Amino acid sequence: MERETLIEIGRIISDGDEAVLEELTACAADPAAYFAAHEEQYRERAIDSPEEPDLIRWIGMVDILAARNFVCERDWKDEKEDFFYFFSNLAGIRRLQLEMDPDWLDEDGDIEQWCGILDEKWSARQCCAAAIGIDSDSFVLFPCTLAQLERLRRLAETTDYSIEKV
């Protein structure tokens, strides 16, 4: 995985946040050192060694973005209230000035249904709910413009991972 690709993905999702880019640059440059400094976080994800540097970089990026509220990781069976709380408080919701109303979402729905509803509501703004693939049954969610999503999708295609509309 190209370091520049990872950093560019982080730059787009974080809108160029300097703290994100600084930490992401360190993670991309030396994944073994980053793993050693954040070993507990990786062990919580059942990653026990830095032997796969691309995985260390990708998960590091997700954790860096989540720590600064640019993405939220939600379990596939999330409750509506938890999904709404965490997703509606992401930095990108405020930056893109996206409206969210819990009444739009069906209590018995799931993340894919809820994101589909948000996509419909935000279609006039050319925005959507997107997810970073981490080979897990959880969703790493963030809002973005459709143009950003297309750029992120193309960048992710150069890795073994994905970024897609939910």
Side-chain angles (χ1 to χ4, degrees):
M1 174 185 311
E2 295 285 327
R3 295 177 196 175
E4 294 77 24
T5 300
L6 193 76
I7 294 166
E8 180 65 7
I9 290 170
R11 186 194 65 73
I12 292 168
I13 294 173
S14 74
D15 196 33
D17 183 90
E18 288 184 29
V20 165
L21 297 177
E22 183 178 315
E23 191 169 355
L24 196 49
T25 299
C27 176
D30 192 347
Y34 192 83
F35 175 88
H38 300 88
E39 193 167 344
E40 187 174 321
Q41 282 177 230
Y42 286 101
R43 289 200 189 281
E44 289 174 9
R45 294 179 177 277
I47 301 170
D48 298 323
S49 78
E51 291 177 15
E52 295 180 63
D54 286 350
L55 176 64
I56 299 305
R57 288 179 178 115
W58 193 257
I59 296 300
M61 177 189 70
V62 166
D63 288 345
I64 291 164
L65 291 167
R68 289 175 177 77
N69 206 36
F70 290 104
V71 302
C72 62
E73 187 171 350
R74 307 306 308 150
D75 188 81
W76 69 272
K77 59 183 183 225
D78 211 7
E79 300 284 328
K80 171 189 160 182
E81 293 77 21
D82 292 334
F83 166 82
F84 186 84
Y85 174 80
F86 287 101
F87 195 76
S88 67
N89 283 300
L90 290 176
I93 297 291
R94 290 184 302 280
R95 179 175 39 84
L96 296 168
Q97 299 178 336
L98 297 172
E99 185 180 353
M100 285 190 67
D101 185 335
D103 293 335
W104 295 344
L105 310 179
D106 182 2
E107 190 73 39
D108 296 324
D110 61 28
I111 287 177
E112 291 177 274
Q113 292 169 332
W114 299 326
C115 288
I117 291 166
L118 294 175
D119 290 351
E120 288 175 26
K121 299 289 187 181
W122 298 341
S123 64
R125 306 277 322 269
Q126 296 289 298
C127 292
C128 68
I132 300 171
I134 58 169
D135 296 326
S136 145
D137 62 357
S138 65
F139 292 86
V140 178
L141 303 167
F142 64 98
C144 64
T145 67
L146 296 176
Q148 288 172 324
L149 177 62
E150 190 52 38
R151 175 82 174 121
L152 290 166
R153 184 181 290 144
R154 284 194 311 273
L155 287 165
E157 283 176 0
T158 68
T159 72
D160 288 333
Y161 302 96
S162 67
I163 299 176
E164 300 289 338
K165 194 172 183 180
V166 178

